[in-house]
Amino acid sequence: MEQNYIRQKFQEYYQKNPIEWPPEVSRREFGFGSWEKKIESRHSRFSDYTELKNYLVRNTPFFISYSTAYYEFPDARPMERKNWLKADLVFDLDADQLKLSCLATHTKDFPCDNCLEKIKLEAIKLVEEFLVTDLGFSKDDITINFSGNRGYHVHVFDKKIQKLNADARRELIDYVCGTGLNFDSLFYLNENRLLGPKTNDGGWSGKVANHVINLVRSGSPTLPAKLRKNEEIKNKVITGIANGNWDVVAIPKKQELWKNLLGGVGVALGDKIDQNVTGDVSKLIRLANSLHGETGLIAKIVKDINNFDPLKHATAFGNQEVKVEISNAPKFRIGDQYYGPYNNNTTSLPEVAAIYLICKKRAKLAK
Amino acid sequence: MANQFLAHYPFTSEAKNFVAEQKIDLNYDLLEISKARVISALKDGQIPSMDTQVEEALKLEICSYAVSRMLVSLLKSKFYVSRYSIAEAKRASSYLKVDSDENLAKVTREFNIGWNKGSMQVSDYLAYAPRALEYKLINKHLSNGLVSLTRNEFIRVIEEAIRKHIESSLPINEQAIPSQVQALVAEVKKALPQETAKITIQPQKGEYAPCIKKLLEDLKNSENLPHIARWSLAVYLIHKGVDVDSIVNLFKTAPDFNEKVTRYQVEYVKKRGYKMPNCSVIMSYGLCVARCRIKNPLEFK
């Protein structure tokens, strides 16, 4: 019964709303998900927008994804016969991978405001610091989509990188995640003075200098007391590093100290991206502005990331009351309204919240 | 001296056009020079450079590249194609190092790769950079889509582009190869060392981790493994108690094998006592094939 109800609601959405389609839609492989499984069938092809739109209205899958790759024969099987032509570059960021401490209070199916805010900041960092500043992609070639659940998909449609193979894409992931940084090569001794990266250096060199300066400025507890307590020393160290002089104050085993401070940067970053999505050149990714079958939220194209609130701006359904039996759910928010926690309650909820819980299999329609 | 450029870089379209316009006379000299070129590339992994200004000699040199490609194609071996391409690329790269910026630019235009004020486009860099730690993108200065490189580093990247270009253009269709060239194949084969027996090694007990098995399999098939893959394999096998000689022998099937260098490197790995990288790192190298749910490949049983 729930399945039919959700399918009917999704169908109404697809009837009323224009959908987005990726460039060269006829070269893409499509996959669909069911009530039980995000991708249940794949190897489908649509020749144009109308065919895709009609399929969504008529068949209404609970999930729809398409290949980041372009193929000569998108519906051929097995994979080798599709004849891979090129692929967009896509990064998948999921709050689940941040391993935030708030997870203890809400389980991963109910991302809280903190989770959603932190993963948004990661997406902004990826785009601003890495894709635009370092890699030189134009913002016109980058789109950010909400995943429909608790993360973001960042797409790069730059023609220059479409031909890159899995190995080369892996290099890009390593760059973004800080994997394989040869830390020692950043430093050298000049007349017994430790010289190293400067804040205005390009690439990771500059990131390293800026990161350590921020640690010193904020008095990070990971620093030795000398670097935390004395303002005068702090300022000297900051000015020194800004100019590439890492030897302003006598500290034993300096190089190791700086290195250990950085250990965290790469790893912390690294956990935040589902590396397989970027590295695998035959991966399927959710269709922009389609509905996510586990939340009923829209995998919305984000226009203004700084002010984007997925629980407000990616909702598809209204406020009509629906009576539901809720098994259990932590406190959660949709729009400006908080709901729950629930434990074996029967109550009336606005349609948008009811659908959210039903999709998460936490609620049923009340009789 | 225009023909000198063509002799140094015979894979360029300019050289190709030159050869097409010649009435190639498959005379004794040309056949012998071509044979020597192939044998040297396959046996020693390098093609000696030749510095002549004599027009006739330059012409022979240019044409010998075309004949060599026919010979290599007739050997019908992916391993030889790969090894030959590496030697040709190395030869070109050694000329580029001492050549003018103008000629360097002329060669790189061949691959649509630009080189401007010490930097190149990141997309070109990613397509051709060698897979080695010092060439990892993260260890390069990168700003606004441009990677900063020294001239020699840039030439190393171009060497890879040349290698890929030559390798992807081989083998050529056998039917298009003149009988005089076909007649030489037996002599070339005779001059080459007997194809190395495919070496296998087995663990004393249990099994090697799937990523390691895959690397051993790739080596057997003469895949040109990236440096980081070879290093990981050597570290793993040393931890498993395999001796240096056996490890060096394993690498004999690599298309760019050089015994002296390999032995030095394997001994160095042993001396330094490197730790086996964890699975997360192996994954970041792109070498993980199985997601075994262990922490380190050495834990695999």
Side-chain angles (χ1 to χ4, degrees):
Chain A
M1 190 157 88
E2 280 70 31
Q3 257 196 72
N4 288 339
Y5 170 69
I6 297 294
R7 198 182 293 279
Q8 187 203 327
K9 284 285 151 192
F10 276 27
Q11 192 165 32
E12 284 169 21
Y13 169 84
Y14 287 123
Q15 268 162 355
K16 280 189 229 148
N17 294 283
I19 50 146
E20 285 298 319
W21 68 101
E24 299 181 47
V25 67
S26 64
R27 293 221 179 276
R28 311 280 191 159
E29 175 197 358
F30 279 80
F32 311 102
S34 63
W35 190 242
E36 286 81 26
K37 225 171 143 192
K38 281 190 191 168
I39 293 182
E40 195 171 69
S41 62
R42 50 189 293 181
H43 311 291
S44 295
R45 172 181 179 270
F46 295 102
S47 47
D48 56 30
Y49 169 72
T50 319
E51 204 180 278
L52 172 60
K53 167 98 180 170
N54 287 345
Y55 182 91
L56 286 175
V57 173
R58 242 178 258 146
N59 300 59
T60 318
F62 290 109
F63 298 90
I64 173 159
S65 311
Y66 71 95
S67 59
T68 59
Y70 304 66
Y71 302 101
E72 188 177 5
F73 310 110
D75 46 358
R77 311 171 65 166
M79 291 309 282
E80 300 78 57
R81 294 185 50 203
K82 293 188 192 301
N83 194 17
W84 188 92
L85 301 169
K86 56 183 182 175
D88 301 322
L89 179 65
V90 181
F91 296 89
D92 181 1
L93 295 102
D94 187 324
D96 185 26
Q97 287 161 335
L98 294 175
K99 304 202 170 64
L100 296 168
S101 56
C102 58
L103 255 183
T105 65
H106 56 68
T107 75
K108 64 179 189 180
D109 333 5
F110 288 86
C112 69
D113 292 341
N114 182 46
C115 297
L116 292 170
E117 185 58 25
K118 292 280 155 60
I119 199 67
K120 190 171 99 176
L121 293 177
E122 286 305 311
I124 294 172
K125 176 155 88 183
L126 171 67
V127 172
E128 298 290 339
E129 291 181 26
F130 290 92
L131 299 181
V132 174
T133 309
D134 287 0
L135 289 156
F137 294 122
S138 154
K139 277 202 176 161
D140 296 340
D141 287 331
I142 300 173
T143 61
I144 305 176
N145 301 345
F146 175 56
S147 71
N149 194 2
R150 51 173 183 250
Y152 291 89
H153 298 153
V154 177
H155 295 243
V156 182
F157 296 99
D158 187 317
K159 290 202 164 50
K160 290 199 293 292
I161 41 101
Q162 287 179 329
K163 287 275 183 190
L164 293 181
N165 65 15
D167 267 357
R169 285 163 201 260
R170 175 64 54 191
E171 271 303 300
L172 276 175
I173 302 170
D174 285 352
Y175 183 84
V176 167
C177 297
T179 310
L181 179 65
N182 188 357
F183 189 83
D184 294 330
S185 74
L186 295 175
F187 291 89
Y188 55 99
L189 285 172
N190 189 342
E191 291 170 5
N192 270 335
R193 208 164 250 281
L194 183 64
L195 301 183
K198 303 188 279 294
T199 41
N200 60 358
D201 281 347
W204 270 84
S205 198
K207 288 186 208 305
V208 165
N210 281 306
H211 178 73
V212 173
I213 284 180
N214 285 338
L215 288 180
V216 175
R217 194 169 279 147
S218 65
S220 162
T222 48
L223 294 167
K226 195 171 176 179
L227 284 176
R228 268 183 289 136
K229 306 253 163 74
N230 186 325
E231 284 301 317
E232 197 187 334
I233 292 184
K234 271 170 77 168
N235 286 331
K236 264 190 179 168
V237 170
I238 289 172
T239 322
I241 293 177
N243 296 306
N245 181 356
W246 290 67
D247 222 346
V248 178
V249 185
I251 316 165
K253 293 194 179 162
K254 262 172 295 241
Q255 197 158 344
E256 276 94 294
L257 169 76
W258 302 130
K259 187 173 181 172
N260 289 337
L261 284 176
L262 276 160
V265 190
V267 177
L269 255 171
D271 283 352
K272 294 172 193 171
I273 289 182
D274 183 345
Q275 306 200 351
N276 260 324
V277 172
T278 315
D280 182 344
V281 290
S282 56
K283 204 81 178 169
L284 301 184
I285 193 96
R286 195 157 338 285
L287 182 68
N289 287 356
S290 68
L291 294 172
H292 190 296
E294 270 174 10
T295 60
L297 296 174
I298 308 168
K300 186 116 177 164
I301 297 181
V302 182
K303 293 270 153 54
D304 173 12
I305 181 89
N306 289 304
N307 295 309
F308 183 75
D309 174 359
L311 297 178
K312 206 171 181 173
H313 302 124
T315 53
F317 302 105
N319 287 320
Q320 203 187 340
E321 298 271 302
V322 179
K323 202 170 170 195
V324 283
E325 288 172 27
I326 306 166
S327 56
N328 67 80
K331 189 177 165 187
F332 67 96
R333 177 173 69 87
I334 295 281
D336 290 319
Q337 182 77 44
Y338 284 89
Y339 304 90
Y342 299 107
N343 198 350
N344 288 318
N345 304 77
T346 299
T347 182
S348 283
L349 290 178
E351 191 177 68
V352 62
I355 289 174
Y356 188 66
L357 288 181
I358 293 171
C359 283
K360 286 182 185 297
K361 320 262 188 330
R362 300 297 184 105
K364 289 180 172 172
L365 295 168
K367 292 187 181 89
Chain B
M1 182 68 75
N3 282 351
Q4 192 158 36
F5 178 85
L6 306 184
H8 288 176
Y9 314 111
F11 49 84
T12 54
S13 41
E14 202 181 323
K16 221 172 151 183
N17 292 340
F18 174 84
V19 173
E21 284 162 15
Q22 303 290 311
K23 282 219 164 62
I24 297 185
D25 170 21
L26 287 168
N27 59 30
Y28 179 78
D29 283 353
L30 178 56
L31 292 175
E32 282 304 302
I33 291 175
S34 308
K35 199 174 80 185
R37 186 174 185 131
V38 171
I39 292 172
S40 172
L42 300 183
K43 221 168 117 184
D44 312 327
Q46 54 188 349
I47 299 164
S49 54
M50 184 187 85
D51 273 301
T52 176
Q53 309 253 335
V54 180
E55 204 57 25
E56 215 35 46
L58 284 172
K59 208 175 121 183
L60 268 179
E61 181 85 349
I62 302 167
C63 293
S64 80
Y65 171 74
V67 179
S68 295
R69 284 163 42 84
M70 299 176 191
L71 274 174
V72 170
S73 300
L74 291 168
L75 293 173
K76 295 186 182 132
S77 148
K78 206 179 137 195
F79 171 74
Y80 286 142
V81 164
S82 173
R83 193 165 165 83
Y84 171 75
S85 310
I86 292 169
E88 283 288 354
K90 282 201 169 127
R91 170 184 178 276
S93 145
S94 71
Y95 285 126
L96 282 174
K97 279 183 192 152
V98 292
D99 210 334
S100 66
D101 284 350
E102 195 194 336
N103 280 347
L104 175 60
K106 217 166 135 186
V107 171
T108 60
R109 263 202 302 277
E110 197 73 28
F111 308 104
N112 276 323
I113 299 176
W115 167 246
N116 192 5
K117 292 186 189 132
S119 54
M120 70 186 291
Q121 289 276 349
V122 64
S123 46
D124 294 333
Y125 182 79
L126 287 174
Y128 300 117
R131 301 276 168 254
L133 206 56
E134 63 271 29
Y135 281 92
K136 273 190 87 66
L137 186 60
I138 191 168
N139 293 319
K140 293 286 165 222
H141 276 227
L142 171 65
S143 184
N144 203 19
L146 296 172
V147 185
S148 311
L149 298 171
T150 64
R151 192 177 192 273
N152 277 351
E153 284 174 331
F154 177 65
I155 290 172
R156 178 67 186 86
V157 175
I158 295 304
E159 182 185 315
E160 197 63 15
I162 298 171
R163 181 188 70 77
K164 283 192 175 164
H165 170 80
I166 297 177
E167 190 165 337
S168 67
S169 69
L170 289 171
I172 45 182
N173 187 352
E174 203 179 321
Q175 267 134 29
I177 301 175
S179 56
Q180 297 98 307
V181 181
Q182 307 226 13
L184 283 182
V185 175
E187 286 176 51
V188 173
K189 277 190 181 156
K190 224 169 90 187
L192 296 176
Q194 291 304 303
E195 213 169 322
T196 0
K198 302 279 160 95
I199 296 140
T200 45
I201 55 169
Q202 290 297 328
Q204 284 158 336
K205 56 177 182 182
E207 269 187 80
Y208 289 143
C211 50
I212 300 299
K213 273 198 222 159
K214 171 78 166 59
L215 292 180
L216 290 169
E217 197 59 34
D218 286 350
L219 258 188
K220 247 203 251 175
N221 295 327
S222 297
E223 299 276 345
N224 201 10
L225 293 184
H227 177 77
I228 202 75
R230 298 175 197 213
W231 178 84
S232 306
L233 179 60
V235 172
Y236 183 91
L237 293 174
I238 281 167
H239 277 282
K240 286 281 180 186
V242 180
D243 61 282
V244 170
D245 282 344
S246 309
I247 298 175
V248 172
N249 278 336
L250 272 180
F251 288 107
K252 274 194 178 148
T253 50
D256 58 353
F257 179 71
N258 176 320
E259 172 143 10
K260 223 171 94 191
V261 175
T262 306
R263 182 169 297 279
Y264 173 81
Q265 286 176 339
V266 175
E267 272 166 3
Y268 188 75
V269 164
K270 187 166 183 178
K271 198 174 92 198
R272 284 290 299 262
Y274 286 114
K275 276 190 201 144
M276 184 65 200
N278 279 336
C279 294
S280 55
V281 179
I282 291 293
M283 209 184 286
S284 85
Y285 294 159
L287 303 178
C288 174
V289 292
R291 312 289 133 99
C292 323
R293 294 178 189 280
I294 51 176
K295 224 183 129 203
N296 190 291
L298 286 169
E299 290 166 17
F300 188 85
K301 285 193 180 99

